[in-house]
Amino acid sequence: MDHHPRRMRDTDHQLHRRSGGHGQHRVLDLDAEVFGDSLAAVLDLTGVPAARSVVDLGAGTGAGSRLLRDRYPDATVTCVDNDPQMLELLREQGFAVVEADLDDGFPALAGSLITADAVAEAPVDLVWASSSLHHVANPARLLSGARRALAPGGILVVVELAALPRFLSHPRAALLEQRCHAAAAAEGWNHHPNWTPVIEAAGFGVTRSEVTTIAPVTPAAGEYARQWFSRFSHLAALTGADRDAVEELLERFSDIELEPRASRTVWVATPE
Ligand SMILES: C[S@@+](CC[C@H](N)C(=O)[O-])C[C@H]1O[C@@H](n2cnc3c(N)ncnc32)[C@H](O)[C@@H]1O
């Protein structure tokens, strides 16, 4: 892996124009493409050698589900989400898909199956929730349900972005990026607590760690970085001067030195 900052290639700009208006699914796919190694590293931490039944809570476009399917080829990977667009993308990839609102707690898996022949049924060997728990209205209830669904020896893995991904390496640009992150935090982006006490209260023993990935500079990394800065440019909490600087940065983005980095916090929990 190339860890050195490099200029993006011209193709980045073309790629961005081609991809047009992006939805959330494009962002999730870019994250998987650019920082997929970090999720693989997360899975290494879990120490689960084999699994037959895996559930991905808030599966999105399937970044985690694909990884889980690759790692446990004999397992049924059941994807849970409440977004029809995500559910369709998951279904197209051949996953067992359950449409459920996680605000209501851990879903009755077989009962709400909308596709595929096989679906995981409790007991579940591995429950995976990546960048999804902070969306849920009642995490304690969901986690208690997950605890009940787990097989003896099963584990729960919760993953969150420790911070928004960083892309810029030049010190002045990196400071601008830091201020963008502060403005985003002021608007509640990626807001989540330390889940340790919540997971413990649901009946788990838990270890918390952090995984950092430095990704190579690829067209996808360039597109992903540009997406973040496009979003930052709309932040109300950004000062006028910083908004101008972000817009100026976006105009000459193909000349910007990148060093894509992402850190994820991982909670690996076992029932007590
Ligand atoms: C940030 S995405 C993470 C997707 C995926 N886990 C990943 O790591 O790429 C959060 C996902 O959780 C889903 N989600 C959010 N709230 C939900 C809820 N109450 N019930 C079910 N799914 C929910 C969203 O639809 C979205 O697909």
Side-chain angles (χ1 to χ4, degrees):
M1 186 184 295
D2 182 355
H3 290 177
H4 299 289
R6 276 214 236 117
R7 285 177 200 285
M8 285 193 302
R9 292 173 236 158
D10 287 340
T11 49
D12 295 340
H13 196 62
Q14 292 152 10
L15 192 132
H16 177 66
R17 269 188 312 202
R18 267 206 314 276
S19 43
H22 298 284
Q24 165 80 346
H25 65 279
R26 181 66 188 145
V27 173
L28 294 176
D29 281 345
L30 282 170
D31 189 74
E33 193 172 341
V34 177
F35 294 116
D37 282 358
S38 68
L39 280 187
V42 166
L43 208 43
D44 290 340
L45 284 178
T46 63
V48 176
R52 279 180 310 158
S53 174
V54 176
V55 175
D56 186 356
L57 297 175
T61 57
S65 325
R66 290 190 295 275
L67 183 76
L68 291 160
R69 182 162 63 184
D70 289 350
R71 189 66 66 98
Y72 306 110
D74 297 330
T76 301
V77 177
T78 302
C79 302
V80 182
D81 212 290
N82 66 348
D83 180 319
Q85 200 184 2
M86 303 299 180
L87 293 167
E88 181 57 20
L89 289 167
L90 293 162
R91 193 190 59 74
E92 283 167 11
Q93 295 171 75
F95 288 109
V97 178
V98 166
E99 177 173 15
D101 187 346
L102 296 171
D103 290 355
D104 298 334
F106 194 86
L109 296 171
S112 9
L113 178 69
I114 61 169
T115 187
D117 303 330
V119 64
E121 294 202 46
V124 177
D125 300 308
L126 175 55
V127 174
W128 174 270
S130 176
S131 295
S132 53
L133 194 56
H134 68 267
H135 289 290
V136 174
N138 191 340
R141 181 163 55 175
L142 177 62
L143 294 173
S144 297
R147 163 81 183 75
R148 286 191 296 274
L150 278 174
I155 65 159
L156 161 76
V157 180
V158 175
V159 187
E160 298 280 8
L161 280 175
L164 299 184
R166 288 182 294 149
F167 294 94
L168 305 186
S169 58
H170 186 281
R172 235 181 49 203
L175 282 176
L176 173 64
E177 186 171 39
Q178 229 172 61
R179 293 196 296 278
C180 289
H181 287 189
E187 295 191 21
W189 293 19
N190 191 42
H191 179 69
H192 60 81
N194 173 8
W195 288 120
T196 301
V198 187
I199 297 172
E200 283 175 346
F204 292 92
V206 59
T207 59
R208 175 174 178 258
S209 47
E210 205 159 290
V211 170
T212 297
T213 308
I214 300 177
V217 179
T218 58
E223 183 187 349
Y224 193 30
R226 196 191 293 264
Q227 286 242 353
W228 278 104
F229 282 92
S230 300
R231 292 168 151 211
F232 293 153
S233 69
H234 301 293
L235 284 169
L238 211 59
T239 65
D242 281 344
R243 191 183 323 284
D244 291 347
V246 169
E247 274 160 15
E248 199 251 325
L249 188 85
L250 285 166
E251 273 163 28
R252 56 184 182 85
F253 215 76
S254 48
D255 295 327
I256 302 296
E257 276 193 349
L258 295 184
E259 190 181 27
R261 287 148 289 170
S263 293
R264 288 184 150 87
T265 311
V266 187
W267 291 264
V268 179
T270 46
E272 295 214 299

